[in-house]
């Protein structure tokens, strides 16, 4: 068995040599960043692998953040009709989110993650030491997904977040996602609860022209969706206050009507109704349809 370690140039610089030596792998890398997550990058790496004689008995080791895991995972899914995959997430977000659940893929000019496959790794290696070199904004991106996992399915994780160690935070967030994914491997229903904060969050990313990081946008999305849930009669005042304490919704100045227009263009709309994964209380979620004309108003008031 030959192993090919795929990573981006930032992670290659920090950890490439050490891991190639340890795993007796050959290194393949591409420029870091979301714009590299394309079919073109995948194709270039595939050609390199084939030229070097890699074939059916290859193990692909994906070392990096979500960009590397998604791209290398998709590559492993199609290389010689599928070869073994090992994931070594190096960002907090990748540890708790991108590495879990089997979704792989790349972006196209028409949108993000539109081409891909469900493909599960043989092994996932989580090592907290990677966090020591991770820039603070990337820590926040992952932290938001951990808090989101708490909101969805582990009340204590959300409420006692500050008292837990990184190891506990990560383990518990993974446990929540695992539990949900296990009920819905191919994202036909239940798995949509993972979208808490993301329906509004994605719209905010778009409206801000991607000036907001994913974590910033989802944090605001969680707060604004909590208001919608409250307005629909689900979330109590107490839980809403608890959420707004952690994610202040007013820390931004985007026009909420524009945000609704963007959500309208999204695929979550049917017969004038927008579908949300809304919190019923901290620790549980329901899939709810909200009439379009009520959405902006609900986000404004509380
Ligand atoms: N497959 C899924 O289920 C899933 C879930 C969530 C997100 N995603 C995808 O994940 C991607 C975002 O992932 P991300 O936030 O990890 O971004 P990323 O992979 O771009 O990593 C962020 C930055 O951190 C650098 N980096 C990585 N590890 C480092 C380390 N240990 N020390 C220092 N720098 C390091 C990277 O080079 C990059 O510049 C998106 O493309 C998103 O679509 C996928
Ligand atoms: Zn997210």
């Amino acid at each position: 068995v030959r192993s090919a370690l795929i990573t981006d140039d930032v992670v290659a610089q920090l950890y490439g040599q050490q891991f190639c030596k340890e795993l007796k792998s050959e290194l393949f890398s591409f420029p870091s960043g979301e714009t590299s997550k394309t079919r073109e990058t995948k194709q270039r790496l595939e050609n390199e692998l084939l030229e070097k004689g890699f074939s059916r008995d290859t193990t692909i080791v994906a070392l990096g953040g979500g960009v590397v895991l998604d791209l290398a995972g998709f590559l492993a899914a199609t290389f010689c009709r599928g070869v073994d995959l090992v994931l070594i997430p190096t960002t907090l977000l990748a540890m708790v989110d991108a590495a879990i659940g089997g979704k792989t893929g790349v972006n196209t000019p028409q949108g993000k993650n539109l081409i891909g496959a469900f493909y599960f790794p043989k092994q996932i290696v989580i090592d907290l030491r990677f966090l020591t070199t991770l820039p603070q904004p990337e820590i926040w991106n992952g932290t938001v997904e951990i808090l989101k996992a708490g909101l969805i399915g582990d009340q204590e994780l959300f409420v006692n977040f500050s008292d837990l160690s990184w190891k506990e935070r990560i383990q518990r967030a993974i446990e929540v996602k695992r539990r949900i994914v296990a009920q819905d491997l191919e994202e036909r229903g239940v798995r949509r609860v993972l979208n808490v904060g993301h329906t509004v969050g994605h719209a905010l990313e778009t409206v801000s022209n991607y000036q907001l990081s994913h974590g910033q946008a989802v944090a605001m999305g969680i707060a604004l969706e909590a208001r919608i849930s409250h307005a629909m009669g689900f979330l109590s005042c107490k839980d809403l206050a608890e959420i707004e304490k952690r994610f202040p919704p007013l820390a931004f100045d985007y026009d909420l009507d524009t945000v609704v227009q963007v959500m309208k263009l999204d695929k979550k709309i049917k017969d004038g109704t927008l579908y949300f994964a809304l919190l019923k209380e901290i620790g549980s979620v329901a899939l709810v349809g909200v009439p379009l004309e009520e959405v902006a108003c609900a986000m404004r008031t509380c």
Side-chain angles (χ1 to χ4, degrees), residues 13-79:
Q13 185 76 37
L14 288 165
Y15 302 106
Q17 274 201 337
Q18 174 199 338
F19 275 81
C20 277
K21 221 159 132 196
E22 258 173 50
L23 303 168
K24 297 192 178 64
S25 294
E26 280 176 62
L27 184 81
F28 297 83
S29 74
F30 60 85
S32 87
E34 190 69 33
T35 51
S36 287
K37 205 175 101 173
T38 60
R39 288 171 290 194
E40 288 75 19
T41 306
K42 176 172 178 276
Q43 187 175 350
R44 184 177 64 73
L45 292 168
E46 286 160 350
N47 288 338
E48 278 181 39
L49 285 162
L50 293 169
E51 274 158 23
K52 293 204 165 151
F54 282 88
S55 61
R56 191 66 269 268
D57 66 351
T58 302
T59 294
I60 300 286
V61 180
L63 175 77
V67 165
V68 170
L69 269 47
D70 280 7
L71 183 119
F74 184 34
L75 186 153
T78 62
F79 194 75

Side-chain angles (χ1 to χ4, degrees), residues 93 97 145 148 198 202 214 218:
L93 181 134
D97 199 350
E145 302 293 350
K148 182 200 79 175
H198 282 66
H202 284 150
H214 184 67
V218 172

Side-chain angles (χ1 to χ4, degrees), residues 8 10-11 34 37 65-67 70 90-91 97-98 103 113 130 133:
D8 70 26
V10 172
V11 178
E34 190 69 33
K37 205 175 101 173
V67 165
D70 280 7
T90 63
T91 65
D97 199 350
K103 284 210 270 180
N113 300 320
F130 289 119
T133 54

